[in-house]
Amino acid sequence: LTVAVLISGTGSNLRALLDAAAEPDYPARIVVVGADREAEGFRHAEDFGIPTFLVPWRDFDTRDEWGAELATQLDVWRPDLVVLSGLMRLLPPAVVEARAPQIINTHPAYLPEFPGAHAVRDALAAGVVQTGASVIVVDDGVDTGPVVAQERVPVLPGDDEHTLHDRIKPVERRLLIDVVRRIATGELDLAAAAASASTPS
Ligand code: GRF
């Protein structure tokens, strides 16, 4: 299974996936890493000799134009799967529809709790005693796609956004590595997951 990973930030989840994919028996291969800005995480791709591409958000007038260039870059690599891991941009519907359901996203909350770009901060603000990490199939909503893996993470007294996110990320990475493995082996069928989500239960 060939995988493209899209990031915006430090890429710690990307690093974990790169480390896993470096194992000879891991059934997926990361072929390219893309970002919407000069992401710190590019260095992880460079460490592994994996090509990167940059589609700077600020170079485009609209989300659709940015998305179209992103899609053009992805088409160069024709990945079987696109993993959004810390990409802090919503993909335009055209990009999602062209590739769905072969796009998954990691999210630092127990979806459908705390969707959106500030999940960790929102969980803290809500005063919950547990939050979580989730991997979902991307649809054209904001973190609304079907959940393919998720796990609870405790919120501890005295947590701030940094300490809580640092407790969530290792769980997120483990879920992501396992989900990509299960997709590669055929154990997890994203089309089935997406279909079962769309039929009203
Ligand atoms: C991850 O928790 C991801 O789910 C969220 O932002 C974080 C990115 O972390 N969107 P990193 O860039 O993988 O270190």
Side-chain angles (χ1 to χ4, degrees), residues 4-168:
V5 183
L6 302 182
I7 62 171
S8 294
T10 57
S12 63
N13 285 339
L14 163 68
R15 177 70 200 216
L17 203 47
L18 286 166
D19 288 335
E23 294 300 317
D25 59 349
Y26 195 72
R29 192 161 47 86
I30 297 169
V31 294
V32 68
V33 174
D36 64 316
R37 67 195 76 172
E38 274 297 347
E40 238 188 281
F42 272 157
R43 63 192 166 90
H44 298 312
E46 284 144 20
D47 288 351
F48 283 81
I50 290 174
T52 60
F53 66 78
L54 175 59
V55 183
W57 176 260
R58 66 176 180 283
D59 288 3
F60 297 83
D61 296 333
T62 67
R63 180 186 304 278
D64 289 345
E65 285 167 306
W66 172 79
E69 178 55 27
L70 183 70
T72 300
Q73 291 292 331
L74 283 173
D75 287 347
V76 168
W77 304 94
R78 299 167 56 76
D80 300 315
L81 176 70
V82 177
V83 174
L84 310 185
S85 183
L87 178 71
M88 299 312 277
R89 297 285 174 206
L90 285 182
L91 299 178
V95 176
V96 174
E97 274 134 39
R99 292 186 164 278
Q102 303 304 328
I103 313 179
I104 61 174
N105 181 33
T106 60
H107 186 77
Y110 200 82
L111 289 171
E113 297 167 6
F114 310 118
H118 307 292
V120 179
R121 186 191 313 170
D122 296 345
L124 279 175
V128 294
V129 293
Q130 59 175 4
T131 179
S134 304
V135 181
I136 62 170
V137 180
V138 173
D139 65 10
D140 43 17
V142 180
D143 299 321
T144 51
V147 172
V148 290
Q150 64 185 167
E151 188 173 308
R152 282 290 183 187
V153 175
V155 180
L156 301 180
D159 262 340
D160 62 20
E161 192 172 343
H162 183 74
T163 58
L164 179 52
H165 208 163
D166 276 356
R167 187 173 314 114
I168 293 170

